[in-house]
């Protein structure tokens, strides 16, 4: 069973739609619980940074009560509703709504939950009766706003430990960099560099909290990691002993980092996007010196209303122009950011669909396919023509990671996504020239194990398609993976007991993120346990689907994302 508070559930209060007096004590469907588990991660914004606000018309709160409520909100609610409560993947909790509904109404919802997705905070025992009332009062006050984080604050955090001119001019170690893995040790605030051949940990490096992704420079030399606390660390893999050579903090909470890959601009520019403040930052690609801050505040694509907190989700580096493609989550806009002249940055802004999240390239590298997760859609951007190609309806809350490219035996080249909200796997045709009748449509829908999937993966050298179900509430599903035969997709899937193979003992043991080695003949899975339990990485032979190796090490604390250098560098997925 899950240990209490191993992951935090969101406060998804649908205060405008559900009738008073409803008493639903759980999500309606197991896949709803999978979504809640994913969305409920705490905000990395320090609650102490937000000032106390007392609002006319709201119940009185002492300073101590306000501070306690603020801490609960940032830990359990901001991930869905936003720091400013204007609504993100959750409903808005603005005072015009909450004060109109009133204290008793809000207490009922917080206590009992609703079919719209709100957990039963009171009846579940997560909140005491006093905490239920405290939070009902708190959301009737204006939200306390954390401070902005501009160039002076960034420059105060920027450090260069080894200047570019003092770094080696060639690789000084004997590591096979193509087959090196950067592994997030989430709760330890570290990454581990693991050799793909020996399966040994080469180095553990202290980084920001809960590294979200690792990205590799175009040259394959520099590894960039960004923590949820918005701290970026730049690691030089050519050094005799790979080390962090530069660092900077670009906000208070963040998710994305990338570097320039267009021919002639390799390794020159880096970019990172923040959740708070809502902005992205262009930096020197060799030193991380911040050069240009771009705000994302603006109008939503649907109602054309101002949103003060549109967070930056996925960022990819275009292969077609010297540009970054930036997803702006809450407003539903994709920006193509040209980095040829940072003194006169030019943008192409494309209206798409709200709640943009993660995504990746099709096999040609021309089309960027990205999930608009709460809209249940995939957006396709033509990076060559710099325009919207299509918006495609898919299953419930798509979460592809970077997706999976392969050739469907009937429909030609496709890109696939799995879903958090249901068991479906959507295959989208990506070849408008060779297979025009299949392009930008869901050509095939597979049925997987269940909802709660975070990643789907294959490789050009593989005949398998791997799908995790990390956040499914059923332990049998969250601790195993499904694998499909690409040559016989309709035959269904085989289930592999990854957590059982890991043999790590007690704990939730969630299995997350299939990742291939450089050759495409091994696939690695994280068995993500709590800090006080044993975690592991399980390596499976992709050809036989049999256990090949289990990596266990006391330094392997809460491993989650794994990023093979070659596959990440060359966008192979």
């Amino acid at each position: 069973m899950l240990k209490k508070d191993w992951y935090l559930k969101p406060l998804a209060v649908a205060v405008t739609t559900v009738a008073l007096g409803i008493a639903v004590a759980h999500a309606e469907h197991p896949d709803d619980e999978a979504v809640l588990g994913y969305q409920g991660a705490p905000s990395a914004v320090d609650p102490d940074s937000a000032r106390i606000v007392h609002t006319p018309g709201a119940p009185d709160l002492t300073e101590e009560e306000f501070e306690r409520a603020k801490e609960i909100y940032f830990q359990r609610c901001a991930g869905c509703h936003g720091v400013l409560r204007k609504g993100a993947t959750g409903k808005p909790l603005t005072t015009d709504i909450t004060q109109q509904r009133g204290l008793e109404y809000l207490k009922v919802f917080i206590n009992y939950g609703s079919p719209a997705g709100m957990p039963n905070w009171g009846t579940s025992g997560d909140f005491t009766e006093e905490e239920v009332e405290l939070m009902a009062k708190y959301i009737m006050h204006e939200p306390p706003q954390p401070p902005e984080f501009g160039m002076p604050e960034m420059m105060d955090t920027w450090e260069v430990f080894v200047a570019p001119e003092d770094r080696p001019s060639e690789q000084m170690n004997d590591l096979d960099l193509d087959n090196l893995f950067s592994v997030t040790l989430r709760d330890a605030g570290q990454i581990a560099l693991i050799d793909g051949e020996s399966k040994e940990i080469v180095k553990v490096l202290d980084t920001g909290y809960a590294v979200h992704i690792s990205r590799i420079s175009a040259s394959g030399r520099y590894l960039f990691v960004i923590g949820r606390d918005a701290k970026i660390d730049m690691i030089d893999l050519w050094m005799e002993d790979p080390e962090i050579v530069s660092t900077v903090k670009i906000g208070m909470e963040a998710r994305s980092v990338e570097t320039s890959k267009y021919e002639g601009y390799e390794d020159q520019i880096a970019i990172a996007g923040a959740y708070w403040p809502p902005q992205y930052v262009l930096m020197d690609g060799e030193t991380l010196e911040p050069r240009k801050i771009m705000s994302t505040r603006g109008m939503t694509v649907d109602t054309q209303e101002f949103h003060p907190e549109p967070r930056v989700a996925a960022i990819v580096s275009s292969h077609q122009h010297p540009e970054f493609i930036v997803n702006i989550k809450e407003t539903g806009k994709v920006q193509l950011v040209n980095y040829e002249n940072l003194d006169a940055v030019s943008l192409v802004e494309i209206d798409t669909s709200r709640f943009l999240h993660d995504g990746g390239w099709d096999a040609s590298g021309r089309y960027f396919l990205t999930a608009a997760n709460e809209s249940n859609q995939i957006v396709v951007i033509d990076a060559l023509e710099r325009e919207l190609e299509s918006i495609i309806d898919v299953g419930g809350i798509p979460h592809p990671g970077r997706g999976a490219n392969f050739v469907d035996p009937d429909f030609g080249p496709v890109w696939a996504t799995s879903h958090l909200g249901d068991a479906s796997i959507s295959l989208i045709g990506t070849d408008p020239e060779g297979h025009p009748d299949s392009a930008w449509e869901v050509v095939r829908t597979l049925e997987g194990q269940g909802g709660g999937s975070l990643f789907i993966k294959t490789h050009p050298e593989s005949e398998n398609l791997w799908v995790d179900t990390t956040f499914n509430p059923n332990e049998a599903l969250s601790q195993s993976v499904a694998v499909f035969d690409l040559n016989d997709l309709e035959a269904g899937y085989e289930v592999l007991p990854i957590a059982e193979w890991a043999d790590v003992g007690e704990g939730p043991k969630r299995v997350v993120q299939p990742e291939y080695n450089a050759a495409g003949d091994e696939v690695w899975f994280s068995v993500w346990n709590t800090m006080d339990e044993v975690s592991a990485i399980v390596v499976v032979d992709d050809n036989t689907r049999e256990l090949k190796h289990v990596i266990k090490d006391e330094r392997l604390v809460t491993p989650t994302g794994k990023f093979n250098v070659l596959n990440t560098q060359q966008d192979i997925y």
Side-chain angles (χ1 to χ4, degrees):
M1 296 295 292
L2 289 178
K3 294 188 175 181
K4 184 177 176 64
D5 292 336
W6 177 70
Y7 67 95
L8 300 173
K9 297 177 286 186
L11 179 59
V13 186
V15 293
T16 59
T17 59
V18 186
L20 179 62
I22 201 162
V24 177
H26 53 78
E28 286 191 305
H29 189 274
D31 290 338
D32 297 335
E33 296 182 47
V35 175
L36 295 177
Y38 169 73
Q39 292 180 342
S43 169
V45 175
D46 181 3
D48 291 338
S49 68
R51 61 187 177 87
I52 293 176
V53 179
H54 294 289
T55 305
D60 288 339
L61 288 175
T62 66
E63 183 171 332
E64 182 179 356
E65 288 173 330
F66 198 97
E67 290 293 342
R68 172 60 181 148
K70 185 173 61 170
E71 181 180 357
I72 292 173
Y73 182 84
F74 276 77
Q75 284 292 311
R76 302 191 179 222
C77 317
C80 270
H81 299 286
V83 171
L84 301 182
R85 299 195 216 136
K86 292 291 185 179
T89 50
K91 301 290 185 181
L93 295 175
T94 50
T95 55
D96 60 320
I97 297 171
T98 57
Q99 287 195 19
Q100 191 273 330
R101 296 299 181 185
L103 179 62
E104 294 304 318
Y105 185 95
L106 298 174
K107 284 167 59 178
V108 168
F109 282 107
I110 295 171
N111 192 51
Y112 291 108
S114 81
M118 181 186 118
N120 54 317
W121 289 104
T123 58
S124 69
D126 287 289
F127 285 3
T128 64
E129 184 177 342
E130 290 75 18
E131 287 173 326
V132 168
E133 181 166 356
L134 173 65
M135 295 310 296
K137 290 179 178 179
Y138 175 76
I139 61 176
M140 296 174 73
H141 289 263
E142 290 290 340
Q145 179 171 321
E148 299 295 320
F149 204 93
M151 189 61 76
E153 290 80 12
M154 289 185 200
M155 294 303 292
D156 284 345
T157 70
W158 175 52
E159 292 185 80
V160 177
F161 305 114
V162 182
E165 60 269 23
D166 296 329
R167 299 171 196 167
S169 57
E170 59 184 13
Q171 184 178 342
M172 301 300 292
N173 56 60
D174 58 2
L175 295 173
D176 179 1
L177 295 185
D178 283 351
N179 205 26
L180 189 70
F181 287 77
S182 174
V183 179
T184 298
L185 307 181
R186 187 185 186 279
D187 297 331
Q190 298 173 324
I191 65 157
L193 300 179
I194 301 182
D195 177 69
E197 180 63 29
S198 69
K199 315 295 189 293
E200 297 291 333
I201 295 178
V202 173
K203 187 76 178 286
V204 173
L205 294 160
D206 293 331
T207 60
Y209 167 71
V211 165
H212 194 67
I213 59 171
S214 298
R215 290 292 179 260
I216 308 296
S217 67
S219 67
R221 172 178 187 167
Y222 292 116
L223 171 67
F224 296 79
V225 297
I226 187 165
R228 291 186 57 176
D229 57 0
K231 181 175 181 283
I232 306 170
D233 291 297
M234 178 180 177
I235 300 159
D236 187 352
L237 299 177
W238 281 11
M239 297 176 72
E240 185 173 352
D241 189 22
E243 293 285 355
I244 295 171
V245 294
S246 184
T247 189
V248 70
K249 191 169 163 54
I250 57 98
M252 302 179 74
E253 183 171 7
R255 294 294 188 278
S256 51
V257 67
E258 182 62 288
T259 65
S260 53
K261 292 185 176 179
Y262 188 70
E263 185 177 357
Y265 292 87
E266 296 92 340
D267 294 21
Q268 290 188 16
I269 306 294
I271 185 173
Y275 270 25
W276 185 267
Q279 62 193 27
Y280 55 89
V281 184
L282 296 160
M283 299 163 285
D284 183 280
E286 288 194 317
T287 67
L288 295 182
E289 178 185 4
R291 299 279 301 280
K292 189 84 170 182
I293 303 173
M294 306 285 286
S295 174
T296 59
R297 292 180 170 105
M299 302 298 176
T300 61
V301 297
D302 44 12
T303 58
Q304 297 287 296
E305 294 177 284
F306 179 75
H307 199 295
E309 194 188 344
R311 300 175 290 182
V312 179
I315 301 175
V316 296
S317 187
S318 175
H319 304 277
Q320 308 297 329
H321 299 282
E323 293 175 338
F324 295 115
I325 301 180
V326 179
N327 279 353
I328 303 174
K329 192 176 182 76
E330 278 70 38
T331 54
K333 296 181 178 181
V334 173
Q335 289 187 355
L336 280 59
V337 184
N338 188 285
Y339 48 74
E340 290 178 283
N341 182 357
L342 296 190
D343 294 323
V345 175
S346 62
L347 300 177
V348 173
E349 185 171 85
I350 302 172
D351 287 358
T352 65
S353 183
R354 290 189 68 188
F355 311 115
L356 295 165
H357 195 61
D358 57 346
W361 294 103
D362 80 307
S364 74
R366 172 173 175 172
Y367 299 100
F368 175 55
L369 294 93
T370 184
N373 54 17
E374 293 290 334
S375 298
N376 300 328
Q377 293 176 322
I378 294 294
V379 170
V380 185
I381 300 295
D382 183 342
L384 178 61
E385 298 297 332
R386 308 169 87 197
E387 63 187 15
L388 176 66
E389 183 71 20
S390 186
I391 298 178
I392 306 157
D393 292 330
V394 291
I397 312 184
H399 194 288
R402 306 198 84 178
N405 288 299
F406 56 93
V407 177
D408 183 279
D410 297 325
F411 301 104
V414 297
W415 178 93
T417 181
S418 53
H419 299 85
L420 271 162
D422 63 41
S424 69
I425 299 158
S426 299
L427 277 56
I428 296 169
T430 60
D431 184 16
E433 294 186 6
H435 296 79
D437 294 339
S438 303
W440 317 131
E441 295 182 358
V442 176
V443 297
R444 193 190 298 269
T445 300
L446 306 176
E447 190 75 6
Q449 287 200 90
S453 176
L454 291 183
F455 297 100
I456 184 170
K457 191 63 67 78
T458 188
H459 188 279
E461 300 299 321
S462 174
E463 296 183 350
N464 290 319
L465 178 68
W466 301 86
V467 187
D468 67 21
T469 37
T470 309
F471 276 103
N472 196 288
N474 184 325
E475 287 186 355
L477 275 62
S478 66
Q479 296 181 6
S480 63
V481 297
V483 53
F484 292 82
D485 182 347
L486 294 179
N487 300 309
D488 190 8
L489 291 166
E490 296 299 335
Y493 56 84
E494 180 183 0
V495 177
L496 299 188
I498 302 298
E500 179 183 322
W501 285 350
D503 190 24
V504 294
E506 297 298 319
K509 298 175 291 203
R510 293 182 179 272
V511 174
V512 62
Q513 200 218 17
E515 176 74 355
Y516 277 87
N517 64 345
D521 58 10
E522 291 178 355
V523 60
W524 294 30
F525 297 91
S526 296
V527 180
W528 172 21
N529 225 338
T530 52
M531 285 193 72
D532 57 342
E533 303 286 359
V534 177
S535 292
I537 292 174
V538 170
V539 180
V540 177
D541 186 307
D542 185 69
N543 296 312
T544 65
R545 301 182 180 179
E546 295 178 353
L547 175 63
K548 187 171 183 178
H549 190 83
V550 177
I551 304 173
K552 290 183 183 177
D553 189 296
E554 63 182 10
R555 296 169 292 175
L556 206 60
V557 177
T558 60
T560 52
K562 303 165 298 304
F563 302 88
N564 173 267
V565 166
L566 181 69
N567 294 334
T568 305
Q569 174 196 3
Q570 297 187 5
D571 294 312
I572 298 171
Y573 35 80

